[in-house]
Amino acid sequence: MMASEQRLRDFGRRMAEAQDAAMADGFDRDAAAARWEALLLEAPPEPRRSLVPVAAVLAVAAGLLGLVWLSMRPAPPLSVVVDAVPRAADAPLIAGASSPLSVGFSDGSALTLDAEGRASIAAVDARGAVLELERGRLHAAIVHRTDSRWRVRCGPFEVQVTGTRFDLAWDPGRGELAVSLFEGGVLVWGPALGGPQPVRAGERLTVSTERGEVRWGSATPEASVADAGEPALAPAGDGASIADAGEPANDPRDPARVEGASLMGAGEPATAPAAPAAAESASRTAPVVRAPQAQRAPEPAPTVEPTPEPPAPTWWARLEGGDPEGALHAAEAEGFERVCAEAPMDQLAALARAARLSGRATRAEQAFSALRVRFPGTPDAVTAAFMLGRLAQQQGAHAAAAGWFEAYLEEAPAGPFAVEAEGRRIEVYAASGDARRAREVAARYLEAHPDGPHRAYAEGILRAPP
Amino acid sequence: MRPRLQVVEPLAPADERGFDGDDVALVEAFRRGHPAARRELHARYAGHVRRVLYRVLGPDPDLADLHHDVFVRALVSLPKLQDPAALKPWLTSITVHVARSAINRRQRARWLGFRPPEELPELEAETVPPEVREALNATWAVLRAMPTDDRIAFSLRYIDGMELTDVAEACGTSLATIKRRLARAQQRFMTRALRSPVLKDWVEEETR
């Protein structure tokens, strides 16, 4: 035994040396630090409370029992008031041609949708809501609470909010997003960002999916106020864009801003021109890959002695038992939004696949979207982009489908679905009537994949009269 | 108009730029909400956590996420740490817990057919000679076939070189249990390694 013990220790030492050399290849310390920074942004420091005598704790605890009992009851979802009139949460939010729309929530949070804007509330619960900004500009003032959970989806982008004041503009035609922060901080996920990007007070982030551009600038309250009464976005065809409309960033007359603003290609990290402090600049100089736990309270970690994992939820037990339909029903009973927000990555991926294979497109979309948001950069999240494209294509949402296929190709240009995604791009452009783009993509497809499964289809597109 | 970087990323106050102090001071400052201490926790232990994860899991595609997960858990639980001087073993135990959960989740997913075995990557690092790379991949292949707890104990003891008491603490179990796990793991590893054309020479070489 002693001989074996020594042999193994010597062998292990050599393996450890080799591992240490191999590890140097794959560890992006800057990215890890940036994710930690993003997490701290969402979890501000809370000084430790002073200790109180045990007797006092017990006395207070007795009094709190009733409150705990009350707090165990599910809290009602926030109520919604639109232009001072109570409204069902699922009613669409459509601003007038020249008048904005005011939306209030019972927690005190308030939104203003600029003229010509269109949005909807995809989900609402006691802690916040998931908004979908279809187009236009949104001014938001979200009340901060420890458990608040707000998100805004804009096409392929998602903005995670806790308590903050910000403006958000989304132009689906141009694929442009602009986020201006006046208070607090948000995290933004989406194409060309290379992972969740924290946006802090005073910053303005603009992203163009079409050009693969990401710009950083300054957010000024003046710009917000000045723009408030104007149309949310420049009219199509006038050459202006979100990035330009009222955008102080990259002003050529301001050398400091030109120098400070970063313009980068898809997937490239934003590059700050100067480093005021290494730790501070880490979140700007390196792509942030994931900060999923920043948006919710993670499960408690072990102290000195790790505790076993909590029992698996019912829906997972059913899925493990080979009952995908039962698992979906159980997940809905448990709260599908909550399951999507809290399930571990593998379980969430399994749930998304089960929903898709069961024909539950909406649930599949929710679960795949949650994978994208919570675990960006992982193989499951990359695959989710392709699956979301398939789902959108099935529902006739051609522009969204094209966006997802492009997102997949951007993230996994040689991935297992890359050829399929390229072929499906031809289909969705053709189906949407964009013959020019369909022909362009078809030509590129045939060049790259002369024997690909979409060859005949691509040739047909090119043979058709322009 | 002020330059962007002055607006967006102002210089931190002097007392926030760095943190000097031992682990006890670090934990105390962390609990007081000192921003530099919160950064220092990551700066000081990111490498250690990464190493322990790598020892147990190998070149795992989720390594970066699991690494982050360890610190998320630490962020939540650090206020409850009873002995600040034990920060490093405490972080190690969280790391082992996260790694064990990942292995178990993956085994369940693989059993369900959601994740095919070929998705588990082999090492492709350019910094390691081909023959060493082969040995590392063969080692992980043997370890992946072991029961999770035995695999963790083996990795920490024989590859990371931890003391038995540290392995027991990291695994949250008694010394006697760890010795039993190591005895099983040692026997299983040696049996398979001596049958492996790649590992046979490596293991026998140590006795020459």
Side-chain angles (χ1 to χ4, degrees):
Chain A
M1 177 65 80
M2 288 303 291
S4 287
E5 171 85 9
Q6 190 55 49
R7 282 161 73 184
L8 279 174
R9 291 179 72 167
D10 292 341
F11 168 78
R13 194 176 305 119
R14 298 179 68 190
M15 288 296 108
E17 287 168 6
Q19 282 188 9
D20 291 343
M23 264 194 295
D25 263 12
F27 186 30
D28 189 340
R29 184 179 279 269
D30 288 341
R35 293 174 70 176
W36 176 244
E37 286 284 327
L39 179 64
L40 297 182
L41 182 72
E42 289 299 308
E46 290 182 16
R48 184 177 54 168
R49 293 178 182 84
S50 60
L51 293 176
V52 293
V54 172
V57 170
L58 290 175
V60 172
L64 288 176
L65 273 176
L67 292 175
V68 170
W69 178 79
L70 287 173
S71 69
M72 294 293 283
R73 296 184 309 169
L78 302 178
S79 57
V80 183
V81 174
V82 177
D83 280 344
V85 178
R87 184 90 79 86
D90 57 358
L93 306 173
I94 304 172
S98 59
S99 58
L101 189 74
S102 296
V103 184
F105 291 84
S106 50
D107 71 338
S109 297
L111 313 172
T112 302
L113 187 63
D114 272 0
E116 297 184 342
R118 187 182 173 99
S120 60
I121 301 173
V124 61
D125 62 17
R127 294 187 289 175
V130 179
L131 308 167
E132 288 189 354
L133 178 60
E134 294 172 31
R135 67 163 187 261
R137 180 171 299 184
L138 190 69
H139 308 276
I142 304 299
V143 174
H144 175 70
R145 292 182 308 170
T146 52
D147 62 344
S148 58
R149 195 175 63 186
W150 290 79
R151 292 180 189 179
V152 187
R153 296 177 185 151
C154 319
F157 294 95
E158 180 147 338
V159 180
Q160 181 210 317
V161 184
T162 49
T164 183
R165 196 165 63 81
F166 64 98
D167 282 0
L168 192 62
W170 167 240
D171 180 344
R174 296 174 188 275
E176 289 183 355
L177 174 82
V179 186
S180 299
L181 256 289
F182 306 114
E183 288 175 15
V186 299
L187 284 175
V188 183
W189 283 266
L193 289 174
Q197 291 294 328
V199 185
R200 300 167 185 157
E203 290 183 326
R204 178 180 173 88
L205 167 68
T206 55
V207 189
S208 166
T209 56
E210 207 165 72
R211 298 190 299 274
E213 287 178 1
V214 177
R215 295 183 185 189
W216 289 93
S218 298
T220 59
E222 292 78 11
S224 166
V225 172
D227 292 344
E230 299 172 1
L233 300 173
D238 68 352
S241 67
I242 285 175
D244 305 325
E247 164 59 62
N250 287 342
D251 183 348
R253 294 164 297 185
D254 182 345
R257 187 167 296 288
V258 170
E259 186 187 16
S262 166
L263 183 64
M264 65 188 188
E268 290 176 2
T271 306
E280 285 289 331
S281 65
S283 63
R284 282 286 166 275
T285 55
V288 184
V289 183
R290 181 178 74 101
Q293 282 78 4
Q295 58 199 273
R296 67 190 195 285
E299 61 185 90
T303 52
V304 172
E305 196 150 323
T307 52
E309 284 193 89
T314 309
W315 71 267
W316 176 243
R318 293 201 177 195
L319 197 55
E320 280 189 306
D323 177 14
E325 281 291 341
L328 286 165
H329 287 306
E332 285 168 339
E334 291 174 30
F336 204 84
E337 281 281 336
R338 187 173 63 78
V339 168
C340 287
E342 296 174 359
M345 185 170 67
D346 283 348
Q347 293 185 12
L348 185 57
L351 182 67
R353 290 188 192 101
R356 179 173 163 267
L357 295 173
S358 303
R360 305 284 298 279
T362 305
R363 292 307 189 197
E365 188 185 3
Q366 276 181 278
F368 280 126
S369 298
L371 269 175
R372 297 280 302 167
V373 171
R374 293 181 54 211
F375 305 103
T378 62
D380 282 332
V382 174
T383 300
F386 178 78
M387 294 303 173
L388 284 164
R390 292 279 307 271
L391 290 164
Q393 187 181 10
Q394 284 164 8
Q395 293 163 37
H398 305 304
W404 284 119
F405 291 139
E406 282 161 16
Y408 177 81
L409 289 166
E410 184 180 297
E411 294 170 23
F417 302 110
V419 179
E420 178 80 5
E422 288 185 19
R424 285 182 179 273
R425 282 179 71 206
I426 312 172
E427 292 179 16
V428 293
Y429 284 132
S432 66
D434 190 345
R436 182 184 61 80
R437 295 286 291 273
R439 291 176 64 83
E440 284 175 8
V441 178
R444 282 207 299 272
Y445 180 90
L446 287 173
E447 192 178 332
H449 313 290
D451 298 318
H454 278 78
R455 184 189 67 181
Y457 181 77
E459 288 172 345
I461 290 288
L462 291 176
R463 275 199 304 271
Chain B
M1 189 176 291
R2 297 167 65 195
R4 170 182 171 269
L5 284 172
Q6 288 183 9
V7 175
V8 173
E9 295 182 344
L11 279 172
D15 64 339
E16 292 182 8
R17 285 182 199 155
F19 180 88
D20 291 326
D22 60 11
D23 282 354
V24 174
L26 178 64
V27 171
E28 286 305 316
F30 187 101
R31 287 170 170 171
R32 287 196 305 271
H34 196 299
R38 292 154 68 94
R39 292 191 195 99
E40 175 65 14
L41 176 73
H42 192 272
R44 195 172 287 186
Y45 287 110
H48 172 72
V49 168
R50 163 82 177 183
R51 196 187 73 236
V52 173
L53 283 173
Y54 201 85
R55 297 282 190 254
V56 175
L57 297 172
D60 190 289
D62 298 331
L63 215 55
D65 291 333
L66 297 171
H67 185 269
H68 185 66
D69 203 20
V70 171
F71 282 96
V72 170
R73 288 164 184 250
L75 181 66
V76 174
S77 299
L78 195 60
K80 293 181 284 187
L81 175 61
Q82 292 175 353
D83 179 9
L87 177 61
K88 186 175 180 181
W90 174 79
L91 266 175
T92 307
S93 72
I94 293 178
T95 309
V96 168
H97 181 74
V98 166
R100 183 192 292 116
S101 300
I103 293 169
N104 291 340
R105 274 201 304 273
R106 199 157 300 148
Q107 283 175 342
R108 282 198 298 268
R110 203 174 308 136
W111 177 75
L112 284 166
F114 293 128
R115 189 184 285 272
E118 61 267 25
E119 282 190 30
L120 290 172
E122 290 204 330
L123 180 68
E124 294 173 356
E126 297 292 329
T127 49
V128 180
E131 67 277 12
V132 179
R133 205 155 58 217
E134 271 194 333
L136 278 174
N137 285 328
T139 302
W140 279 313
V142 173
L143 292 176
R144 281 179 187 134
M146 282 188 186
T148 306
D149 286 334
D150 294 1
R151 164 183 171 180
I152 292 171
F154 184 96
S155 301
L156 297 181
R157 171 64 173 161
Y158 294 116
I159 300 181
D160 199 59
M162 280 189 190
E163 293 300 322
L164 282 172
T165 49
D166 294 339
V167 177
E169 189 173 357
C171 296
T173 190
S174 68
L175 191 58
T177 302
I178 279 300
K179 285 180 177 175
R180 280 197 300 275
R181 287 179 188 171
L182 282 171
R184 278 198 307 266
Q186 191 184 88
Q187 185 176 16
R188 193 183 291 250
F189 186 88
M190 288 301 285
T191 303
R192 296 199 176 200
L194 290 170
R195 281 189 208 144
S196 161
V198 175
L199 289 179
K200 186 170 178 288
D201 289 345
W202 282 78
V203 178
E204 287 186 333
E205 193 176 317
E206 305 302 337
T207 59
R208 285 175 197 157

